[in-house]
Amino acid sequence: LPPPPLSHPLPPAAQPAGAVRNRQMSAGVRRNIEQKVANGEYYDAQQMVKTGFRRLSAKGQNAAAAEFCVQSAVQLAKAAQYDLAADLGNDLVEFLVDSKAPPSDQNLGLIETVVADIPPHAALVPKYRLLNNALKWSAGSSNQGHPRLHQLAAESYLAERDFGKCQGHYVYCGDGLALAKVVREWRKEGYPNEKDLFSLRVLLMLLALEDLMTARAFWDDMHGDVIRESSEAATEALGPPEPVVQCGSFLLAACEAKNLEFFRAVRGKYALALRRDSTFEQYLTEIEARRFGVRKQQGGIGALFNMLLGGGGE
């Protein structure tokens, strides 16, 4: 008869010798890395991490490999070695791509953990390369990358007061109130004669992405519901809304009603306001194509959004 199944794990002496050696090697590698960091030998420590990371992933120990890489990146970041930490983050993303790992909550959390310990203005090149590569990896979940990674990038740029790139990522996050906060802060630095264009530009971006819910939340937070609130008494007390605000309110209403005739009427009536920014025409053309099914020429909007996201993050 076969022996009965074990009701408890094998003691170390009875476990396979390879399993014991692997654990001892892992513990030994970690101690060596800690010693290297303590001695200020940061590059050597990082190279030991890379070697250990490759060995674990080659053995198919994916969870252990990812955990080892992230913990080591955090350790280096705490020693103010932010470039080395971000570089390990890039290795992690490459590993996620090669292993065909999905953008699950757990995997997204790994990337967030690495970036969280890199302060503003530090490791700019490897940090944003990490974020851009992570967005490409997660693009299977949505055309432009996972919203959590866009939010991570947006918050990083916001902390560095790079409002343009921050805004370019926030439009993919579905957070109209956060966008409104960014626009209010950014337009303080704009030219006085262009401050009214900041909110309209974001509205058109959201409408071009067909995110009507976020567009409505953003616009109402910025300007209120102009159409419903434009009573005769309110107009007498405060005066009519600025033309740009009127234009945005009507364009949003036309998209919500999916009324192409009204949309084009608004474009015609507020043509002077819409000509104040050369990108508006591209957004409006894209809105007509996506929301109303109007055929358009190829290209244009993709390159425009890539420009707004800041290219390759270098």
Side-chain angles (χ1 to χ4, degrees), residues 120-268:
H121 306 290
L124 293 179
V125 171
K127 177 175 68 175
Y128 288 114
R129 184 184 300 122
L130 160 60
L131 287 169
N132 278 281
N133 289 338
L135 282 164
K136 292 175 185 176
W137 157 70
S138 71
S141 61
S142 63
N143 290 335
Q144 299 294 336
H146 199 283
R148 274 175 63 176
L149 295 178
H150 277 295
Q151 182 174 358
L152 187 61
E155 290 172 352
S156 295
Y157 282 120
L158 180 60
E160 294 162 1
R161 298 187 69 79
D162 190 336
F163 294 112
K165 292 178 182 177
C166 169
Q167 173 184 276
H169 284 283
Y170 255 137
V171 294
Y172 293 104
C173 295
D175 191 341
L177 301 185
L179 260 173
K181 184 177 180 180
V182 170
V183 169
R184 286 193 180 94
E185 190 67 22
W186 190 14
R187 68 181 180 183
K188 293 177 185 176
E189 301 181 4
Y191 293 108
N193 63 335
E194 293 182 354
K195 289 186 177 181
D196 58 340
L197 299 180
F198 281 74
S199 58
L200 180 58
R201 186 178 299 113
V202 172
L203 176 69
L204 294 178
M205 291 170 70
L206 292 169
L207 294 178
L209 292 170
E210 280 199 286
D211 190 351
L212 299 183
M213 186 177 298
T214 303
R216 172 54 69 186
F218 166 77
W219 196 252
D220 284 355
D221 193 69
M222 290 294 302
H223 302 291
D225 191 335
V226 171
I227 296 175
R228 290 196 181 97
E229 294 173 2
S230 294
S231 64
E232 186 174 342
T235 301
E236 289 180 359
L238 303 174
E242 292 293 324
V244 166
V245 177
Q246 295 177 35
C247 176
S249 299
F250 290 133
L251 289 174
L252 175 57
C255 287
E256 289 174 331
K258 211 168 185 178
N259 188 323
L260 177 59
E261 183 180 357
F262 181 41
F263 185 85
R264 286 183 166 171
V266 175
R267 287 186 69 171

